[in-house]
Amino acid sequence: MNKIKISNFQLFALTANFTLGTTVIATASGIAELAEQDAWICALITPVIGLPFIWMYYYLGKLYPGKTFVDMFSLVFGKWLGWIISASFVLFICFFSAAAVISYIGNFVQTEYMSETPLYALNFLFAIVLVIGLLYGLEAIARSAEVFFYIVTVMIVLAILMTIPNIHPENLLPVFEKGAVPVLKGSIRLSSFLTWPFIILIMIYPINTDHTVKTRNSLFLGYLWASAFNFISTIMAILVLGSTITARSQYPTYLMAKGISIGIIDRIEAAVSFSWILTESVRMILYFYAGVIGLSQLFGLKDHKKIVLPLGLVMLVYSGVVYPDAAYQAKWDSTTWIALIGTFGIILPIAMLIISIIKKRRKALH
């Protein structure tokens, strides 16, 4: 288990797709609700604020080469406390992350395209993708991410270029109308989707990659690529729709794309939604992959594929109840989700880094 090695470009593609998932089509709404027309500033400064976190995740991998995040818990916190934290981590990424992403995609497709189709029927299709992806293995997932990277890049660039005639620069004014506090709140919310979930990739790096400078660059460049597209999609949503409509729309980027009509080119929103589903699928699969690998390590299973199908069925069932309604989802994403991902993406990595450095210095002294 975990002997597969992926290339640096595949790591870049996985990082880019994973980071872009969710943010490109949905998060502009949440940050516009907090920062209004200054939402684009949130999308601009959040990647800068996030770079130290990405470095911290990278450095943890450098300290523990050949180990997953779950392995690191036991090495840092000890056998029993490490096992409890690992179990909490696996529970979080399976039931509060992977299942939530299935629900996100299913709700989007149901809302925008197939309103009369039962949600579980749609979720079932994505659960099949989830299970098949893991049964084929990380190498197949990484190769798919490579292909998705090119498709998503072309689709989003075309959509942005076609949206330019609809922009209204006055929608960005006045800048900092309500001060820096709303911008800070918006950045925290955006970080909870853009930056802190990056910690999941420690289940792949460094154990499935070569530990080189190029590997480090793949992580950082993938993060910056996704951040750039998130910034562009956010500022375009404000320029085209205005902050009020952006805040009230559940999928502002999709709504913005619906307004594109240039000659015979129409219905470009289908390309935008397709691109988002591709990136969100990578995010969903990587969450699930991390959960399956982590659970296998917790219980000492030699073949993680044996639990893929039963755990996939559990994800399918839970995906239909993780968000009872849109109001609950909005409340969860703005409060509980930030606390949970902050625990695993900020508090634990910082604690692990401090303890690891102390242990390393003590060992050097002896």
Side-chain angles (χ1 to χ4, degrees), residues 32-38 41 173-185 243:
E33 183 180 0
L34 294 169
E36 299 183 359
Q37 68 271 15
D38 291 331
I41 301 178
L173 301 175
V175 179
F176 280 115
E177 181 182 20
K178 295 186 178 180
V181 174
V183 174
L184 180 60
K185 290 181 178 179
S243 60

Side-chain angles (χ1 to χ4, degrees), residues 109-155:
V109 174
Q110 184 187 51
T111 301
E112 301 297 339
Y113 293 102
M114 306 173 72
S115 58
E116 296 183 3
T117 304
L119 181 61
Y120 268 120
L122 297 171
N123 289 355
F124 178 72
L125 295 177
F126 298 113
I128 291 176
V129 173
L130 197 67
V131 170
I132 291 176
L134 261 72
L135 290 178
Y136 272 104
L138 180 61
E139 189 174 6
I141 296 170
R143 288 177 177 176
S144 298
E146 284 186 277
V147 177
F148 293 170
F149 169 77
Y150 292 113
I151 296 174
V152 170
T153 300
V154 172
M155 292 288 191

Side-chain angles (χ1 to χ4, degrees), residues 30-32 34-35 42-43 46 180-191:
I31 58 177
L34 294 169
C42 302
T46 297
V181 174
V183 174
L184 180 60
K185 290 181 178 179
S187 295
I188 292 173
R189 182 161 183 177
L190 180 57
S191 295

Side-chain angles (χ1 to χ4, degrees), residues 305-322:
K305 293 183 179 181
K306 291 182 178 180
I307 62 172
V308 168
L309 183 56
L311 200 57
L313 292 174
V314 174
M315 291 299 98
L316 172 61
V317 173
Y318 196 69
S319 68
V321 297
V322 63

